Amino acid sequence: MGSAMRTPVTVIEFGTDKIRVLHGNGDGEGGALVTSFAEAPSEGSVIKGAIHDPVKAGKILGGVLDRTGNTEAINDDNRMTLFLLNGAVVNSCRGEGSLMLHDGGKVENRHVEDVLTKAHGITLPPGMVSFNSFDGFFVLDRRSRVKYPVGQHANQLDAYLHILTTEQRVLDQIHGIMFNLGFERKGEPLFNGVASAYGVLRKDEREQGALLIDFGHGACDYVLVCTEGIYLSGVLPVGVAHVANDLAIGLDLPYDYCLKFLREGKLKKMRDADTAFLEYVVSVTGKKRRIPLDSFERIIEFRLREIYSVIRAKVQEKNLSSCMTAGVVLCGGGSMIEGSLEMAKDIFSDSAVRIGEPFGVAGVMNGFEMPPPCYASILGALKYAVEELSQQEESGIDVVRNALSRVGENVLSNVRKVFRR
Amino acid sequence: MTKKPMILGIGGSGAAMVEQLALLPGIGEYHLALVDTDRSAIEHSSATFLLSAAADWGIASGCGCGGDVIRGERALAAERQSVQKMLAEASCLTVCGGLGGGTATGGVRTISSVARTMNIPAAFLLTTPFSFEAYSRKQNADECIRELLPVVDILLTIPNDLLFSKLPPDLPAAQAFEKSALEMAYTVFGVSELMRCRNLLGADYAAFMRPVKGVRCDCSLGVGVADSSDGLDRSAIALERLLASPFLGGPDFLKKAETLFLVLSGGTDLQLAELKRTMEMASDVFPKKIEVFSGAAISENMDGRIQLTAIAVKYEKTPHTRKKTAVGRQELRQPDDGAVSTGELLQEEFSLTSYSRGIFENLPPTKYRDEDLDIPTFQRRNISIDRGKTGA
């Protein structure tokens, strides 16, 4: 665990609210270290998690890269570059492979490789590519669900992978932006929800099963992790921006004002101060409008309830509620909205619910203006990269380069174990 | 002051119920509270806790809401701190009132919000308007129920029509309303006894909440009271009176009911045999398909008396939905599965409401189950919001 752990890593996040760049590396002891960080408002170039204006996004990213002070090093031979993918353009599917065993029934590594190759052999519509694949689980003789089948006896081995897909043009767009900024090598895509899961889920939660909801500005990502595999993931393109938009429309207030109201936690502060009304000065007339705080509360409550109800319905549709033994973990800026945690507890009334904060990351944190759950994805991506690099060093397989060309190659190395021991 | 269970009446109907409650034996175990925008109702009330919320009419302040839901909402919102102070004395809460007007319909949201914030278990027993009343009152009541259902644990709605459907037609109106308030008071008392958790039969707040949480239901209620002067078999007499209760809805309603809450309240002289006999007789009387939740509560103030309270619950099936497309055109109302189609022709309506998408105006919609999630949730649920008042 030497040189690979200290391999520099760059993570780029095209968030609906902010475009962020983080540089870091492993700390040599299994943790991650941030060496520099910068962010800037995306100014509408990213909407609902997906890039809407690539030219503007590229310009902003360039400025952010300059501020990290590390522009010249981005083409270091050893540097690993990740970019987070989000938005309605991300889909998931399940890859399934099946293998009959004829050699005495004991599962060996080659059997696992064969069945994973089959599982990875999904047919995608034209224009779609898979960009991440993760362990789901293995099933022996259609009866027993296991995590590690090697050495066990069975007549039939089934493998289930969780495969994330997107449109080729989306990846090309991001690679184009990065190329224009001087990146000579293509970065590696990582689903935003998986990055957040890396950032905030504890080991016991990953083992027992937990639903991670990253409530972001433009979209909510959700990932159900169980026995260190991914059972379900998705993106609901509704986020904090929708909550602010609802307030703006419902109360006839400027959108930015409503966003600030949410970010500064003004509802709670005013309630604590026993204020019942918000006095808003209409700029044109100078007159004051007294708006009951109850109206804010109601609008926010309706939207939060809907968001969590939709995600819950998605889990129930797949009959995976029993795989959430450890409960629900919220992160992202939306988890900090007043009433968000309580609403999640109400909707997921059968499960424990908590707000997750990134852990296992140290270093230069003074660039972070907002509370830690907002940075779960970018910090989680750094942890992911550090862990991948340590696996690379252990296995000797270079799994970092040319992410898009790995389909059909040695699948065992291509399938990322989500959280190795 | 020590914390006790609280019964809170809201609005004009709530005030009438509270007045009847104040006369019931056993009410000493409770705090009685009244919240109203009508100052005269507050001045004449026997409740311990009184809150006069002023609906802003200028010189007519303190004269009620005039059926204006927004004014009722604002009046209670302005008194949120006072409501909090009042509810600080409550260990659990039963709220009673009549929906359709201004004070209860607008103000009950604030009560539920405060109770939730303070983690006080709360049950809401609210009546809904008569069918002959203005359509707007029914709409106000429906909107309030739609909004309350996801956020309260127990919401039981009692149609006013049911309250008077079984009374003799020649009964003087004043007596009819008084009887209605008395029956409601007995029922509120019976429900509150169940929540007081000095319960012998295991049906506690959680058991009460489970079948009705988040589900719209119409209820009928029956109360039978008997005391020692009625003879040895007071349990049979109480049951008889309960079944004769005009507000139970009779066999017609009971046939359609799916759940029944049965609460026996008695004093320290309530015997085991009496308890067993009463519950067995009651179970035999009601249709077998009804799921029965039984509770028995003991209070020293009920010595010598027993009260049998029954609340029959009929769940409303998934309501007929009106699907609105993004351009505001409504599709024909479709009856849901299980509903009996009457073959009735339905008049389509064009919605004149245009929905704003705000910052998402020129973007592709985010679709989920035929709804555009970029349109504010409260708009899609047809909830009206108080935008506040502009001052001078």
Side-chain angles (χ1 to χ4, degrees):
Chain A
M1 201 182 286
S3 59
M5 289 293 291
R6 292 200 169 78
T7 301
V9 175
T10 296
V11 182
I12 299 170
E13 181 184 357
F14 292 98
T16 307
D17 183 35
K18 300 262 175 78
I19 291 177
R20 299 177 174 134
V21 174
L22 177 148
H23 299 299
N25 47 247
D27 62 5
E29 291 168 5
L33 192 69
V34 176
T35 52
S36 64
F37 170 81
E39 62 182 356
S42 62
E43 294 175 12
S45 61
V46 181
I47 294 176
K48 298 186 201 174
I51 296 176
H52 187 65
D53 184 343
V55 172
K56 193 190 246 185
K59 203 171 159 192
I60 296 170
L61 178 61
V64 172
L65 269 171
D66 287 340
R67 280 168 44 208
T68 60
N70 221 353
T71 321
E72 286 161 14
I74 57 176
N75 287 316
D76 282 350
D77 282 342
N78 290 335
R79 181 170 289 273
M80 179 180 184
T81 305
L82 286 176
F83 58 88
L84 298 180
L85 260 189
N86 200 356
V89 292
V90 174
N91 295 292
S92 63
C93 60
R94 185 195 258 188
E96 297 178 17
S98 191
L99 184 71
M100 303 302 293
L101 299 170
H102 302 292
D103 335 358
K106 194 174 179 184
V107 180
E108 295 170 16
N109 272 326
R110 60 186 174 88
H111 295 137
V112 174
E113 251 191 74
D114 285 345
V115 79
L116 285 175
T117 305
K118 288 182 181 182
H120 213 92
I122 54 167
T123 307
L124 294 172
M128 297 288 289
V129 290
S130 69
F131 65 93
N132 282 159
S133 57
F134 298 97
D135 280 1
F137 49 92
F138 295 91
V139 176
L140 301 174
D141 291 336
R142 293 183 174 260
R143 277 202 314 270
S144 313
R145 187 182 286 197
V146 298
K147 183 65 188 166
Y148 303 106
V150 175
Q152 305 210 37
H153 287 269
N155 292 319
Q156 182 174 335
L157 174 67
D158 294 296
Y160 296 89
L161 293 181
H162 190 78
I163 298 173
L164 289 151
T165 63
T166 190
E167 295 169 33
Q168 179 69 59
R169 65 159 187 92
V170 171
L171 295 175
D172 290 343
Q173 190 183 64
I174 295 175
H175 287 133
I177 292 172
M178 292 172 66
F179 181 76
N180 290 337
L181 290 171
F183 286 86
E184 288 171 5
R185 284 189 299 275
K186 287 178 178 173
E188 198 175 315
L190 177 64
F191 177 45
N192 192 81
V194 168
S196 302
Y198 259 88
V200 304
L201 290 185
R202 300 187 303 248
K203 187 172 166 32
D204 60 304
E205 287 169 337
R206 294 179 328 237
E207 202 46 58
Q208 293 169 25
L211 176 68
L212 182 284
I213 300 176
D214 184 341
F215 192 158
H217 189 84
C220 287
D221 307 322
Y222 53 94
V223 177
L224 200 158
V225 179
C226 187
T227 55
E228 307 259 8
I230 295 184
Y231 284 23
L232 174 74
S233 71
V235 179
L236 177 66
V238 175
V240 176
H242 286 76
V243 183
N245 192 48
D246 288 3
L247 289 173
I249 293 171
L251 302 174
D252 202 17
L253 294 170
Y255 169 79
D256 290 332
Y257 182 91
C258 296
L259 195 56
K260 198 172 168 210
F261 180 91
L262 288 171
R263 284 203 170 130
E264 293 177 359
K266 271 200 175 154
L267 182 62
K268 183 174 186 331
K269 285 178 185 164
M270 294 179 81
R271 287 271 191 237
D272 289 344
D274 288 328
T275 312
F277 292 86
L278 177 136
E279 290 197 346
Y280 175 74
V281 179
V282 182
S283 54
V284 174
T285 60
K287 289 187 178 177
K288 278 188 195 169
R289 184 150 61 101
R290 292 182 82 223
I291 308 172
L293 288 185
D294 281 0
S295 295
F296 285 87
E297 195 177 275
R298 283 168 73 198
I299 292 173
I300 293 170
E301 215 171 80
F302 272 110
R303 180 59 84 169
L304 291 180
R305 181 172 294 280
E306 183 176 63
I307 289 171
Y308 290 126
S309 298
V310 167
I311 294 175
R312 184 167 194 233
K314 297 278 189 189
V315 174
Q316 285 175 334
E317 264 170 40
K318 303 283 184 191
N319 291 321
L320 290 172
S321 302
S322 58
C323 298
M324 286 165 45
T325 315
V328 179
V329 180
L330 307 179
C331 64
S335 66
M336 310 300 293
I337 291 176
E338 168 70 10
S340 186
L341 177 62
E342 289 73 21
M343 184 59 68
K345 284 179 177 173
D346 196 32
I347 298 296
F348 295 98
S349 53
D350 300 334
S351 307
V353 182
R354 72 174 183 94
I355 291 183
E357 295 197 357
F359 62 94
V361 183
V364 177
M365 304 291 275
N366 57 5
F368 295 102
E369 296 167 3
M370 297 172 72
C374 305
Y375 298 103
S377 54
I378 201 166
L379 293 174
L382 177 62
K383 286 176 70 177
Y384 169 89
V386 166
E387 198 160 314
E388 284 301 298
L389 288 166
S390 74
Q391 290 170 20
Q392 175 191 341
E393 194 175 68
E394 281 174 19
S395 67
I397 298 169
D398 183 349
V399 295
V400 173
R401 314 292 178 215
N402 299 320
L404 294 178
S405 66
R406 276 179 295 144
V407 174
E409 289 179 22
N410 183 344
V411 188
L412 185 57
S413 63
N414 293 341
V415 173
R416 305 292 178 79
K417 297 254 179 278
V418 179
F419 301 103
R420 280 188 195 266
R421 272 182 248 166
Chain B
M1 195 174 279
T2 52
K3 279 195 183 188
K4 285 201 288 191
M6 181 180 282
I7 299 177
L8 187 148
I10 180 167
S13 300
M17 292 177 211
V18 163
E19 283 314 294
Q20 296 292 342
L21 276 162
L23 303 171
L24 296 182
I27 203 63
E29 301 278 346
Y30 295 85
H31 288 312
L32 269 185
L34 175 64
V35 174
D36 204 350
T37 52
D38 185 348
R39 204 184 300 129
S40 63
I42 297 286
E43 282 165 5
H44 293 108
S45 175
S46 326
T48 324
F49 294 90
L50 297 164
L51 175 59
S52 176
D56 186 10
W57 292 104
I59 59 166
S61 247
C63 295
C65 283
D68 187 333
V69 175
I70 298 289
R71 283 188 195 275
E73 202 179 317
R74 276 188 206 158
L76 266 287
E79 298 294 339
R80 190 181 173 102
Q81 193 183 356
S82 306
V83 170
Q84 260 176 323
K85 276 192 191 141
M86 185 191 289
L87 295 191
E89 307 301 331
S91 56
C92 60
L93 180 68
T94 310
V95 178
C96 54
L99 293 178
T103 309
T105 316
V108 77
R109 295 170 184 129
T110 301
I111 306 287
S112 78
S113 171
V114 172
R116 231 174 33 252
T117 310
M118 297 173 73
N119 278 330
I120 299 173
F124 292 76
L125 276 79
L126 303 167
T127 62
T128 53
F130 291 103
S131 48
F132 59 74
E133 289 188 83
Y135 179 68
S136 57
R137 288 180 72 92
K138 187 167 188 330
Q139 263 194 320
N140 290 340
D142 283 345
E143 189 182 306
C144 181
I145 291 167
R146 253 199 330 271
E147 205 180 316
L148 279 184
L149 268 175
V151 299
V152 302
D153 289 335
I154 299 171
L155 173 61
L156 302 174
T157 55
I158 298 146
N160 271 344
D161 285 335
L162 186 64
L163 291 175
F164 294 100
S165 61
K166 302 293 178 192
L167 287 174
D170 56 353
L171 186 69
Q175 275 188 38
F177 278 92
E178 204 180 301
K179 190 163 176 55
S180 148
L182 181 62
E183 289 284 326
M184 272 297 294
Y186 275 124
T187 310
V188 170
F189 182 73
V191 166
S192 306
E193 287 286 272
L194 187 66
M195 286 175 59
R196 217 154 48 91
C197 294
R198 288 181 60 188
N199 207 303
L200 304 177
L201 289 178
D204 54 9
Y205 179 79
F208 193 11
M209 175 187 82
R210 189 176 57 81
V212 296
K213 183 170 168 67
V215 183
R216 172 133 190 204
C217 42
D218 284 335
C219 308
S220 67
L221 45 101
V223 179
V225 183
D227 56 31
S228 305
S229 63
D230 288 312
L232 287 173
D233 201 2
R234 58 183 183 173
S235 51
I237 293 169
L239 181 60
E240 208 178 291
R241 286 176 182 163
L242 180 147
L243 292 172
S245 178
F247 307 125
L248 194 56
D252 294 335
F253 192 95
L254 290 177
K255 265 188 224 163
K256 295 177 203 162
E258 289 158 84
T259 297
L260 179 78
F261 294 103
L262 197 60
V263 184
L264 174 65
S265 310
T268 52
D269 58 335
L270 181 68
Q271 296 172 356
L272 176 62
E274 193 175 16
L275 172 67
K276 183 170 176 294
R277 193 170 58 245
T278 311
M279 289 305 184
E280 278 172 357
M281 281 194 298
S283 301
D284 287 340
V285 157
F286 293 106
K288 293 288 175 253
K289 69 177 180 67
I290 292 185
E291 189 179 10
V292 179
F293 291 84
S294 310
I298 302 297
S299 165
E300 291 89 1
N301 292 331
M302 288 287 284
D303 279 351
R305 288 164 55 95
I306 62 167
Q307 175 178 318
L308 202 52
T309 310
I311 305 175
V313 177
K314 180 168 72 92
Y315 299 114
E316 189 170 300
K317 301 293 180 213
T318 309
H320 293 181
T321 52
R322 283 172 181 265
K323 293 181 185 175
K324 289 195 168 95
T325 63
V327 297
R329 189 170 58 84
Q330 288 180 341
E331 295 172 17
L332 270 178
R333 219 191 295 178
Q334 298 289 337
D336 60 309
D337 292 338
V340 175
S341 171
T342 60
E344 192 184 312
L345 287 175
L346 296 172
Q347 177 68 46
E348 248 193 271
E349 293 175 18
F350 280 111
S351 169
L352 296 176
T353 312
S354 63
Y355 293 119
S356 169
R357 300 171 74 231
I359 60 170
F360 305 110
E361 199 61 53
N362 296 320
L363 296 169
T366 301
K367 285 287 199 180
Y368 177 74
R369 290 187 184 170
D370 290 336
E371 285 193 59
D372 179 1
L373 298 187
D374 293 337
I375 295 172
T377 312
F378 74 89
Q379 277 191 339
R380 285 181 276 117
R381 304 282 177 267
N382 294 321
I383 302 293
S384 52
I385 298 289
D386 180 9
R387 291 182 165 189
K389 214 175 74 148
T390 304

